[in-house]
Amino acid sequence: AQTVTQSQPEMSVQEAETVTLSCTYDTSENNYYLFWYKQPPSRQMILVIRQEAYKQQNATENRFSVNFQKAAKSFSLKISDSQLGDTAMYFCAFMNLGAQKLVFGQGTRLTINP
Amino acid sequence: EPEVTQTPSHQVTQMGQEVILRCVPISNHLYFYWYRQILGQKVEFLVSFYNNEISEKSEIFDDQFSVERPDGSNFTLKIRSTKLEDSAMYFCASSRDRGFYEQYFGPGTRLTVT
């Protein structure tokens, strides 16, 4: 079974700094999808960024980018120029090709300080 | 922007009682999901639903659980005889298609079994 591990339960940075959240996963599959979801306080989980494992190029979405290291089974999220609104719980998630279920990590609580 | 909604936001029930958690997915979505998060643990997949039938389920989703789409808009999760260990946050999600398509999550229903 696939597992996803986020080794940083909490992180805290100053506004405008860059922060990197770690995620590792375990799978024997070659093709799969990876996601980062964000859950702001008292709000729903929303998708931040996603990556298809067969694509070597790292995904980027504005200030958010990933460092996808397939051999190392690592999928870290970098947030540049962090903003107060980035304060949230961040979940890394895995999905097998052809599957429907997301397998989540434990989450990292990120606080952006003014 | 369309959102997934869930009712109630918090439900308290006694052990052994039946509960129904309700969700209204986004209207043009075809896949529907339930996840749960026990306090302090990971978000776990329960079930996915497509074309009026279960398409994937986890080992957690035993005979005590059932899902239904009783009309064109609602998607429900029923727990027949609640146990203390069913206390958790239950998230509904929907997506236009499976796989790489974004799953849109609702705000969750906190179920407390006493």
Side-chain angles (χ1 to χ4, degrees):
Chain A
Q2 288 81 18
T3 57
V4 178
T5 302
Q6 293 178 249
S7 58
Q8 305 148 314
E10 293 188 31
M11 294 188 74
S12 178
V13 298
Q14 297 299 118
E15 196 175 3
E17 288 183 348
T18 294
V19 59
T20 299
L21 309 184
S22 302
C23 173
T24 57
Y25 57 93
D26 185 29
T27 183
S28 56
E29 301 295 328
N30 191 45
N31 289 317
Y32 46 85
Y33 308 121
L34 294 162
F35 305 82
W36 277 99
Y37 276 84
K38 163 186 176 181
Q39 187 179 31
S42 303
R43 295 185 59 188
Q44 27 258 74
M45 225 181 319
I46 55 174
L47 180 67
V48 174
I49 196 165
R50 52 189 161 176
Q51 174 88 35
E52 294 162 288
Y54 66 87
K55 288 189 175 177
Q56 292 186 338
Q57 187 172 5
N58 288 322
T60 62
E61 288 285 344
N62 301 313
R63 297 183 295 107
F64 297 87
S65 60
V66 297
N67 183 4
F68 174 47
Q69 302 286 330
K70 192 172 184 180
K73 296 180 182 173
S74 169
F75 184 62
S76 60
L77 174 70
K78 186 170 87 170
I79 305 173
S80 303
D81 185 27
S82 57
Q83 300 174 359
L84 297 179
D86 295 333
T87 292
M89 188 73 125
Y90 286 81
F91 293 98
C92 179
F94 171 100
M95 181 187 286
N96 265 327
L97 204 71
Q100 294 153 47
K101 72 174 185 182
L102 289 164
V103 177
F104 285 90
Q106 306 93 316
T108 296
R109 186 176 302 281
L110 176 65
T111 302
I112 309 298
N113 299 306
Chain B
E1 188 172 334
E3 287 188 336
V4 176
T5 59
Q6 290 185 243
T7 53
S9 56
H10 190 191
Q11 172 125 25
V12 181
T13 190
Q14 287 191 325
M15 197 167 54
Q17 295 296 303
E18 174 183 286
V19 293
I20 297 176
L21 309 183
R22 291 183 167 80
C23 168
V24 179
I26 293 173
S27 62
N28 62 347
H29 285 185
L30 300 178
Y31 284 81
F32 314 109
Y33 314 86
W34 284 101
Y35 292 82
R36 79 172 185 190
Q37 185 178 29
I38 295 171
L39 189 63
Q41 298 187 23
K42 294 183 179 183
V43 176
E44 303 172 289
F45 170 81
L46 292 177
V47 66
S48 61
F49 191 83
Y50 169 73
N51 200 26
N52 279 321
E53 58 184 27
I54 290 173
S55 48
E56 191 174 349
K57 64 180 181 178
S58 72
E59 57 274 12
I60 302 168
F61 194 87
D62 61 20
D63 291 345
Q64 287 291 96
F65 293 89
S66 63
V67 289
E68 192 178 33
R69 189 156 161 82
D71 52 42
S73 59
N74 290 284
F75 179 51
T76 61
L77 174 69
K78 183 193 293 186
I79 309 175
R80 286 192 182 81
S81 178
T82 50
K83 305 170 191 167
L84 294 176
E85 53 265 36
D86 293 328
S87 294
M89 183 73 96
Y90 288 80
F91 296 103
C92 174
S94 69
S95 63
R96 284 173 54 198
D97 204 334
R98 64 180 187 175
F100 201 55
Y101 285 81
E102 178 177 356
Q103 292 186 18
Y104 290 77
F105 284 80
T109 292
R110 180 166 298 284
L111 176 65
T112 303
V113 182
T114 61

